[in-house]
Amino acid sequence: MHHLSASLYRSASLSCVIAYSAHCLAAGYGINENSASYMGTAFAGRASNPVDASIAANNPAGLSFVTHTILSAGSAVIFKGGEFKGQYTRPPRFGGIVSGETLVGKSTDYQKTTPVPFGHFSMPFNDQLTFGLSAYGPYGIELDYDNDWPGKYFADKTSVKVINLQGTLSFKLREDFAIGIGLIGSHVNGKLTQSSGVPDVLPIDATIEGDDNTFGWNIGAIWQVNEQTKVGAVYHSKLDFTLDGDIKAHGRLAIPENPLINATVNDKVGAKLDITMPERAALSITHKVDPRWTLMADATWTRWSHFEEFYVKAKNKMKVSLSGGFPSLPPEITTNPSSYIPMNWKDVWAYSIGASWQVSPQWLLRFGYMRDNSPVDDKNRTVRSPDADRNWFTCGVNWQATESLSIDVSYAYVVLDKGKISESKYKGTAPHAVDENYGKITGEYKTSSHIAAAQLNYRF
């Protein structure tokens, strides 16, 4: 029964193993697109250039310099893309009773087209106090690999959505200096699937769904150094989540050392995952060169080193039904599907520069570039977090249609550095060794994205 128990344990562990990655992807794939106006300059100046109500999500102090009641609302669309080429290899097992396996191939457009809506409202109470309300998505991802891709034993679909609701108060302490604070309620929801598990080890379908709510805050300041220059600084707090959800698994397990045994899984158990989304701090500067040209720059630090590991804990044991083989075979056994995965992410910086050009009273053009570093590298990349350092090339336009109405449209082309992957599965019990029987996925990712955004600004 030793080999039988080991095989059953690995099968039940599948659903928890996939759980960690989606939620870390929501974090590792932070979404910048909370404003079409700032996307045009690659988000340079987003903490120091108060052009509309969307600055609240980037620096709450900026609302003090938005002098009218304004509604800014719109959406970005991240279009499909991405390419993977590589192979899955598994060694022979059980002394050669079960042969090894090699799958070679690719998957394209695994990153799915995803809308990212946002909305911001700003209303000054008086010359010193301004109130704001915002809704935006700070994290999210939609991945759906081809059904027959080489990494099908590691991942199929990944869907994670995070929504922030933020209330903001901004205080203008002096004519040239303001501070602000935002209080945030955050909701996360994730669903992951994995089908067609490794033959003779994990031939089951598994799904995990979970959600949670938490609270956070951000605080910022803006100093208008002179008529031409503003400097902004902002700090975003960490977000502590405890994701509660269900693990569902079903399928038949083949037991190569005794094919007469029929082992099936058709169960659902609760699971919990404690994760922390990291702190962020940014420094931003905006300088008006002349009445037509404005230059901007931004540096943002993110403390991704919080992600050292993930430990998914099952609330109950998973049931496995047994039949055939031996008269003394019990009708059912249970196994603990808790799992562990090392992350070892690193702190990162993102740097951006941008410019705007007032072509005429009605038209404003924007341009920008950002170098956005990733906490993921070739040592810790996974099929559910195929991230890499990236370059953003952006442009945008603002049209002042009427005295009260303006429209922003922006475009970004994002190119990720090529990223290699060599991923194995880890056992859920200490000392969390690699499960050599599961096999390994190796290969290279080559990814780029097209992003478009539109935003309406209405001044009351």
Side-chain angles (χ1 to χ4, degrees), residues 17 26 29 35 74 96 170 185 205 236 238 240 252 271 329 344 378 388:
V17 169
Y29 277 71
S35 167
S170 184
D205 295 333
H236 300 266
K238 64 180 181 179
D240 292 316
R252 182 184 182 278
L329 192 69
N344 300 317
D378 290 349

Side-chain angles (χ1 to χ4, degrees), residues 43-102:
F43 308 101
R46 58 181 163 181
S48 59
N49 189 29
V51 295
D52 54 51
S54 64
I55 195 172
N58 301 291
N59 186 348
L63 291 187
S64 287
F65 293 89
V66 179
T67 57
H68 297 83
T69 298
I70 294 180
L71 173 66
S72 299
S75 181
V77 178
I78 304 172
F79 292 96
K80 65 181 180 180
E83 179 181 280
F84 169 86
K85 292 182 179 180
Q87 66 179 14
Y88 164 80
T89 55
R90 182 174 59 134
R93 296 171 299 116
F94 304 111
I97 296 177
V98 178
S99 61
E101 183 180 9
T102 299

Side-chain angles (χ1 to χ4, degrees), residues 19 26 88 123 130-131 160 175 190 211 311 313 321 345 348 389 391 436:
Y88 164 80
M123 182 178 67
T130 302
F131 166 78
V160 178
E175 191 63 28
D211 60 5
Y311 187 31
K313 298 180 181 179
S321 299
W345 285 14
V348 293
D389 297 345
N391 298 295
E436 300 291 350

Side-chain angles (χ1 to χ4, degrees), residues 44-248:
R46 58 181 163 181
S48 59
N49 189 29
V51 295
D52 54 51
S54 64
I55 195 172
N58 301 291
N59 186 348
L63 291 187
S64 287
F65 293 89
V66 179
T67 57
H68 297 83
T69 298
I70 294 180
L71 173 66
S72 299
S75 181
V77 178
I78 304 172
F79 292 96
K80 65 181 180 180
E83 179 181 280
F84 169 86
K85 292 182 179 180
Q87 66 179 14
Y88 164 80
T89 55
R90 182 174 59 134
R93 296 171 299 116
F94 304 111
I97 296 177
V98 178
S99 61
E101 183 180 9
T102 299
L103 299 176
V104 180
K106 66 178 182 179
S107 183
T108 58
D109 292 338
Y110 56 82
Q111 177 183 285
K112 296 307 173 183
T113 298
T114 307
V116 186
F118 51 82
H120 310 273
F121 176 75
S122 173
M123 182 178 67
F125 287 136
N126 51 48
D127 292 340
Q128 283 76 43
L129 182 63
T130 302
F131 166 78
L133 185 64
S134 297
Y136 55 96
Y139 306 102
I141 189 171
E142 291 287 339
L143 298 180
D144 188 359
Y145 290 97
D146 297 336
N147 291 334
D148 59 349
W149 82 295
K152 64 182 181 179
Y153 301 143
F154 287 77
D156 181 15
K157 296 181 181 179
T158 303
S159 176
V160 178
K161 298 178 177 68
V162 181
I163 299 174
N164 276 4
L165 295 178
Q166 177 180 322
T168 304
L169 285 177
S170 184
F171 306 88
K172 205 167 192 179
L173 302 181
R174 299 190 320 227
E175 191 63 28
D176 62 350
F177 186 79
I179 61 172
I181 186 168
L183 301 179
I184 299 169
S186 187
H187 174 77
V188 60
N189 178 269
K191 180 178 181 180
L192 298 94
T193 67
Q194 179 170 323
S195 60
S196 62
V198 175
D200 305 324
V201 179
L202 293 168
I204 62 175
D205 295 333
T207 300
I208 183 164
E209 295 184 74
D211 60 5
D212 190 31
N213 302 301
T214 193
F215 294 96
W217 51 274
N218 54 23
I219 187 169
I222 287 186
W223 174 34
Q224 184 161 356
V225 182
N226 50 48
E227 292 185 2
Q228 290 78 36
T229 305
K230 289 188 180 73
V231 177
V234 64
Y235 174 85
H236 300 266
S237 76
K238 64 180 181 179
L239 297 173
D240 292 316
F241 287 102
T242 298
L243 288 126
D244 286 302
D246 293 322
I247 302 169
K248 294 180 286 186

